[in-house]
Amino acid sequence: ILFQIFDAFKSRLHDSNRKVNQVALETMHKMIPLLKDNLSPVINMLIPAMVDNNLNSKNPGIYAAATNVIQALCQHLDNYLLLQPFCTKAQFLNGKAKQDMTEKLA
Protein backbone atom coordinates (compact mmCIF):
# COMPACT_ATOMS: atom_id res chain seq x y z
CA ILE A 1 0.00 0.00 0.00
CA LEU A 2 2.94 2.33 0.69
CA PHE A 3 4.04 2.00 -2.91
CA GLN A 4 0.58 2.95 -4.20
CA ILE A 5 0.40 6.01 -1.96
CA PHE A 6 3.83 7.33 -2.91
CA ASP A 7 3.36 6.49 -6.58
CA ALA A 8 0.43 8.91 -6.58
CA PHE A 9 2.25 11.42 -4.36
CA LYS A 10 5.46 11.59 -6.43
CA SER A 11 3.77 13.48 -9.27
CA ARG A 12 2.99 16.27 -6.80
CA LEU A 13 6.71 16.52 -6.01
CA HIS A 14 7.35 17.85 -9.51
CA ASP A 15 4.01 19.44 -10.26
CA SER A 16 4.08 22.32 -12.74
CA ASN A 17 2.15 24.47 -10.24
CA ARG A 18 4.86 25.88 -7.96
CA LYS A 19 2.58 26.13 -4.93
CA VAL A 20 1.50 22.50 -5.23
CA ASN A 21 5.13 21.47 -5.71
CA GLN A 22 6.29 23.40 -2.64
CA VAL A 23 3.50 22.09 -0.40
CA ALA A 24 4.28 18.52 -1.53
CA LEU A 25 7.95 18.99 -0.62
CA GLU A 26 7.04 20.51 2.74
CA THR A 27 4.66 17.61 3.40
CA MET A 28 7.35 15.11 2.48
CA HIS A 29 9.68 16.86 4.94
CA LYS A 30 7.12 16.27 7.70
CA MET A 31 6.54 12.62 6.74
CA ILE A 32 10.19 11.52 6.68
CA PRO A 33 10.74 11.59 10.49
CA LEU A 34 7.52 9.65 10.98
CA LEU A 35 8.20 6.94 8.40
CA LYS A 36 12.01 6.73 8.64
CA ASP A 37 13.42 3.47 7.24
CA ASN A 38 9.89 2.33 6.32
CA LEU A 39 10.43 4.49 3.24
CA SER A 40 13.04 2.04 1.96
CA PRO A 41 10.72 0.33 -0.59
CA VAL A 42 9.92 3.66 -2.26
CA ILE A 43 13.15 5.64 -1.77
CA ASN A 44 14.46 4.93 -5.29
CA MET A 45 11.23 6.34 -6.70
CA LEU A 46 11.03 9.34 -4.37
CA ILE A 47 14.56 10.73 -4.54
CA PRO A 48 14.45 11.50 -8.28
CA ALA A 49 11.01 13.10 -7.86
CA MET A 50 12.29 15.26 -4.98
CA VAL A 51 15.62 16.20 -6.51
CA ASP A 52 15.43 16.44 -10.31
CA ASN A 53 13.88 19.87 -10.80
CA ASN A 54 13.61 21.07 -7.24
CA LEU A 55 17.28 21.46 -6.33
CA ASN A 56 17.84 23.56 -9.44
CA SER A 57 14.69 25.62 -8.94
CA LYS A 58 15.04 29.37 -9.15
CA ASN A 59 12.09 29.62 -6.74
CA PRO A 60 13.66 30.08 -3.28
CA GLY A 61 10.74 28.38 -1.51
CA ILE A 62 10.96 25.25 -3.64
CA TYR A 63 14.76 25.11 -3.38
CA ALA A 64 14.61 25.52 0.42
CA ALA A 65 11.91 22.86 0.73
CA ALA A 66 13.91 20.43 -1.44
CA THR A 67 17.05 21.07 0.60
CA ASN A 68 15.10 20.45 3.82
CA VAL A 69 13.81 17.15 2.43
CA ILE A 70 17.32 15.98 1.53
CA GLN A 71 18.52 16.99 5.01
CA ALA A 72 15.65 15.09 6.64
CA LEU A 73 16.45 12.00 4.59
CA CYS A 74 20.06 12.15 5.79
CA GLN A 75 18.98 12.57 9.41
CA HIS A 76 16.27 9.92 9.59
CA LEU A 77 17.17 7.17 7.11
CA ASP A 78 20.01 4.71 7.14
CA ASN A 79 22.77 6.13 4.97
CA TYR A 80 23.05 2.78 3.23
CA LEU A 81 19.56 3.32 1.75
CA LEU A 82 20.57 6.73 0.39
CA LEU A 83 23.97 5.92 -1.06
CA GLN A 84 22.96 4.45 -4.42
CA PRO A 85 20.15 6.93 -5.28
CA PHE A 86 22.31 9.90 -4.20
CA CYS A 87 25.26 8.65 -6.29
CA THR A 88 23.02 8.25 -9.32
CA LYS A 89 21.58 11.74 -8.91
CA ALA A 90 25.00 13.33 -8.34
CA GLN A 91 26.27 11.66 -11.50
CA PHE A 92 23.52 12.87 -13.81
CA LEU A 93 22.45 16.24 -12.38
CA ASN A 94 23.98 19.58 -13.28
CA GLY A 95 24.37 23.00 -11.70
CA LYS A 96 23.59 23.65 -8.07
CA ALA A 97 21.75 20.34 -7.71
CA LYS A 98 24.90 18.41 -8.64
CA GLN A 99 26.90 20.41 -6.12
CA ASP A 100 24.29 19.85 -3.37
CA MET A 101 24.11 16.11 -3.96
CA THR A 102 27.88 15.77 -4.12
CA GLU A 103 28.20 17.58 -0.78
CA LYS A 104 25.64 15.24 0.79
CA LEU A 105 27.55 12.23 -0.50
CA ALA A 106 30.81 13.55 0.95
Side-chain angles (χ1 to χ4, degrees), residues 48-67:
M50 291 184 278
V51 169
D52 284 350
N53 297 322
N54 299 319
L55 281 181
N56 275 331
S57 178
K58 292 184 181 4
N59 181 305
I62 290 174
Y63 175 76
T67 303

Side-chain angles (χ1 to χ4, degrees), residues 19-42:
K19 289 181 183 179
V20 170
N21 186 318
Q22 186 172 341
V23 168
L25 287 164
E26 291 167 353
T27 301
M28 190 70 224
H29 181 253
K30 293 175 186 173
M31 288 191 297
I32 291 168
L34 301 172
L35 295 172
K36 299 182 181 180
D37 288 341
N38 292 320
L39 287 171
S40 63
V42 294

Side-chain angles (χ1 to χ4, degrees), residues 69-81:
V69 166
I70 298 301
Q71 184 64 35
L73 287 170
C74 292
Q75 283 180 309
H76 297 286
L77 270 73
D78 187 335
N79 289 338
Y80 176 76
L81 294 172

